[in-house]
Amino acid sequence: MFSPPHDYNAADVRAGFISALPVLAGVMPFGLITGVAMATGGIPPLEACLMSVIAFAGASQLAATQLLGSSAPVAVIFFTTLFINLRFMMYSASLRQHLRQLPWGWKLLAGYFLSANCYALCIGQFSRAGRDKHPLWFFFGAALPVWMTWQIGPIVGVLAGAAVPAA
C-alpha cells in the first residue's frame, strides 16, 4: 500500500520545493493569524496545534474557532467546515488524471498534504506538456514545505496569542 513508486526523481522534488518557496511568504502569516485566533478564541494550545495537524485547512480552522467561541452546536461546526473544505474534492478530481497510476496509500497521503497553494503549483506544472513524468515527486516537493510552514505558523501564533492579555 505504501511501497514507494520506483520512479523517484530528486530533480522533480527539488523543482517542487523551489516552486513552493515564494508561496511560503503567504502561508506563514496566515498560519500565525490562525494560531493567534485559536489561542484568543479559547482553544487550549495543545488542541490548537493538534487541530492544525489534523485539519490542515486554515479557512475551516478559522471558521471552527469562531463557531467554537460562540458556542455553536457541533453540527453547525461540522457542516460549516465540511462545506468550506469541499473545494478539496474539486482539487482532487482535477489532479486525479495526473496521479491515477499511484497505489491508494500514496493517493491518501497526497490527499492529506493537498492544499490550495500546492494544488495551484502542481496543476500549473502538470498542465505543461511533458511535465507529467514524475508528478508524485513534484507534488511532495511542493506540498511538504507548505505543510511544514503551515505547522510552524499556528504554533508560533498560538504561543503569541496565549501571551496576549484577554483585555
Side-chain angles (χ1 to χ4, degrees), residues 2 13 17 31 48 55 64 68 80 86 91-92 96 112-113 121-122 125 128 158-159:
F2 280 106
V13 173
F17 178 82
L68 285 166
T80 299
L86 282 176
Y91 298 161
S92 296
R96 183 180 184 274
Y112 170 75
F113 284 104
L121 293 169
C122 289
Q125 182 74 359
R128 293 187 192 103
V158 163
L159 296 174

Side-chain angles (χ1 to χ4, degrees), residues 101-113:
Q101 78 283 4
L102 298 174
W104 273 101
W106 283 97
K107 289 178 186 176
L108 290 172
L109 189 61
Y112 170 75
F113 284 104

